[in-house]
Amino acid sequence: MPAIVLIGAQWGDEGKGKATDLLGSRVDYVVKFNGGNNAGHTVVVGNEKYALHLLPSGILTEGVTPVIANGVVVDLEVLFHELEALSARGVDVSKLQVSANAHVITQYHRTLDKVTERFLGKRQIGTTGRGIGPAYADKINRVGIRIQDLFDENILRQKVEGALDMKNHMLVKIYNRRAIHVDEIVDDLLSYAERLRPMVKDTVLELNRALDDDKTVLFEGGQATMLDIDHGTYPFVTSSNATSGGAVTGSGVAPNRIDRVIAVVKAYTTRVGAGPFPTELFDESGEFLRSAGFEFGTTTGRPRRTGWYDAPIARYTARINGVTDFVLTKLDVLTGLDEIPVCVAYEVDGVRHDEVPVSQSDFHHAKPIYEIFPGWKEDITGARTFDDLPKNAQDYVLAVEGMSGSRISAIGVGPGRDAIVVRHDLID
C-alpha cells in the first residue's frame, strides 16, 4: 500500500482539502507534516462546510487516523478550539495523534510575529501574525518548546526562562513592549497538558509501522511549493518546507517509502501576502476570478491576489517535487469567460524565459507571455466524466496538462464533495 504526498503547486489555497477528502475513504492515516495554523483547508461535506487551520483534513473522514507530525508547530489554544468546534458538530476527533517532538507556539511567538512585521514597514513579508516564523526560528536556534516538554514542569520552566531572557530585552528595548513573565507562559502551557497527554504519540514509530502493515498513509502539506522556505519566492515564503521533501523530514518516514506525489493546482493562480506574482491581474478579470472563486483567505479572510494559470510554475513544481499526478481545481470558476489566457513563458528585459528564473530580481520583473484559449459558457458543475465537459473545457485541460510536466488525474468542477472528474486513479 502506498505512502502518498499531497502538496500545493502554487502559492497555497489550491483546494488541497478537497483532494485529501477525495482520497479519504481509501486512506488509513492523514498526516500534517509542516506549518501550523497559518493556512486553512475548506472542506465541504454534503451541506456542511468545515474550515480547518491546524488539524489534518482527514479528521473529517470516518476511520482515518489524523496525525500532527514532528514538522508542525502547534498553537495549543487553536488546537483545542478546533477540536471542540468539530466535536460540537458531531465529528469524532478521538483518533487524533500529536507528535511528542512537534514544537509549540507560545504567546511570545505571536507577539514577536506581529511587532516585527509592523517594524518592517514597507518591507513587510505578509505573515499571518500567528507566531509561525518565530516558533520555527526558536526551533532552529535550539531554544524551542516541544510538546513533550509540557509533561516535565522543571524542564518546561528552564526552557521558557532561556527563551524569554533575550526576547524580553527585544520586546522592551527595541519594540517598546512590556516584558513577558515566565510564570505567565508556563501556567498557560501547563493548562493544556492533561488534555493533550492522551493524544501524544511516537508518531514516527506509528507511521512506519502503519506502512509495514500495508496501511495507506497520506502526507498533507500546508501552504505550497512557491511558499517553501528553500524553493519558494524567498523571503516572501513560509518558515517550513512545504514541498515533498518536507514530508520526509517532517514525519520521519524515509524517502524510499514515498510512492506517489500529488500536486494540487488551480485552473488559475492566487496568492496571499507580498512577493512576486507574474500573472497577477489588476482589472475586472482579476475581480471576476476573486468573486467567482470566492478568493478570500480561510485563515485570515484577506482577499487573495488573482492571476491566470502559470505553466512555468507548474513545471517547476513538477520538477522539484517529483509530481506523479496533478489535481486541477476550480475549473468551474472559468465558466463564462470568452477567452482564457495561460502564461507559457516570461519576458525579462527583452529576453524570453521558458522556466522560472533563478534570480528573484528577474522573477519580480518577469512579464507573462500568454497563449489564449477559447472559453465556454456551459455549466460544468454536474460533470463527472471528462466527456461531460464542453469541448473548450476539455481542450483547456489538455493544453495545460501538456505544459505542466505531469498528467492531470482529477479535475475539480465545483465546491461540493462529489464535484470532481477523475481521469486516473490517484492510489492504484
Side-chain angles (χ1 to χ4, degrees), residues 4-23:
I4 305 166
V5 179
L6 177 71
I7 50 93
Q10 296 156 316
W11 280 283
D13 308 308
E14 300 95 348
K16 294 184 291 296
K18 183 181 180 70
T20 303
D21 192 55
L22 173 67
L23 297 164

Side-chain angles (χ1 to χ4, degrees), residues 72-74 100-106 108-109 131-150 152 155-164 166-167 185 189:
V72 179
V73 287
V74 181
N101 290 336
H103 280 245
V104 176
I105 298 172
T106 69
Y108 53 78
H109 292 132
I132 310 298
Y136 275 116
D138 276 4
K139 177 178 179 176
I140 299 304
N141 286 326
R142 292 160 293 188
V143 293
I145 309 296
R146 297 194 293 177
I147 291 288
Q148 60 181 276
D149 297 330
L150 272 64
D152 188 323
I155 287 178
L156 177 63
R157 185 172 295 276
Q158 290 173 28
K159 289 193 171 185
V160 172
E161 286 174 348
L164 282 178
M166 181 180 69
K167 289 176 173 58
I185 302 300
L189 294 178

Side-chain angles (χ1 to χ4, degrees), residues 39-82:
H41 299 311
T42 300
V43 181
V44 178
V45 183
N47 295 322
E48 296 288 324
K49 181 183 288 187
Y50 298 89
L52 305 176
H53 305 279
L54 181 58
L55 293 169
S57 298
I59 201 164
L60 297 173
T61 304
E62 186 177 352
V64 168
T65 299
V67 177
I68 294 176
N70 58 275
V72 179
V73 287
V74 181
D75 186 318
L76 294 170
E77 181 181 357
V78 171
L79 174 65
F80 285 104
H81 175 76
E82 287 195 21

Side-chain angles (χ1 to χ4, degrees), residues 174-400:
I174 298 176
Y175 299 118
N176 196 30
R177 297 291 177 126
R178 72 170 182 87
I180 297 174
H181 297 293
V182 172
D183 288 346
E184 184 180 344
I185 302 300
V186 172
D187 290 347
D188 178 59
L189 294 178
L190 288 177
S191 70
Y192 297 105
E194 292 312 308
R195 282 185 289 168
L196 188 63
R197 191 184 295 274
M199 308 174 194
V200 178
K201 307 290 182 184
D202 180 349
T203 56
V204 173
L205 181 62
E206 176 82 13
L207 294 173
N208 278 281
R209 282 182 172 171
L211 291 170
D212 291 341
D213 293 338
D214 290 332
K215 304 291 186 184
T216 300
V217 180
L218 177 66
F219 299 88
E220 177 185 67
Q223 295 83 43
T225 296
M226 300 306 290
L227 293 174
D228 185 273
I229 186 69
D230 286 296
H231 302 290
T233 49
Y234 189 90
F236 304 102
V237 292
T238 193
S239 299
S240 61
N241 288 112
T243 42
S244 59
V248 173
T249 55
S251 70
V253 170
N256 61 352
R257 306 204 76 164
I258 305 298
D259 298 277
R260 184 161 290 186
V261 178
I262 301 170
V264 186
V265 61
K266 271 180 185 166
Y268 50 99
T269 312
T270 64
R271 80 172 294 176
V272 172
F277 184 179
T279 69
E280 184 170 12
L281 297 166
F282 301 96
D283 57 11
E284 62 275 9
S285 295
E287 286 301 323
F288 172 84
L289 293 175
R290 185 176 297 110
S291 176
F294 196 69
E295 296 297 349
F296 301 89
T298 303
T299 296
T300 63
R302 290 184 291 185
R304 295 172 185 146
R305 301 158 65 189
T306 57
W308 300 120
Y309 190 89
D310 191 318
I313 283 179
R315 288 196 297 274
Y316 177 76
T317 288
R319 185 163 56 249
I320 68 172
N321 288 289
V323 172
T324 58
D325 304 83
F326 279 108
V327 174
L328 183 75
T329 59
K330 291 198 169 184
L331 184 65
D332 54 299
V333 173
L334 301 181
T335 299
L337 294 170
D338 294 323
E339 294 182 332
I340 307 172
V342 172
C343 174
V344 297
Y346 312 112
E347 183 268 317
V348 182
D349 296 331
V351 177
R352 179 184 172 112
H353 291 251
D354 290 311
E355 303 297 341
V356 175
V358 67
S359 164
Q360 179 82 342
S361 180
D362 285 348
F363 194 50
H364 179 75
H365 292 99
K367 297 177 181 177
I369 298 172
Y370 287 117
E371 186 173 336
I372 308 299
F373 294 87
W376 59 91
K377 304 294 184 182
E378 301 92 330
D379 180 7
I380 66 171
T381 57
R384 294 298 178 266
T385 70
F386 192 66
D387 289 340
D388 290 339
L389 295 173
K391 178 65 163 54
N392 285 353
Q394 292 182 30
D395 290 345
Y396 180 80
V397 172
L398 293 173
V400 298

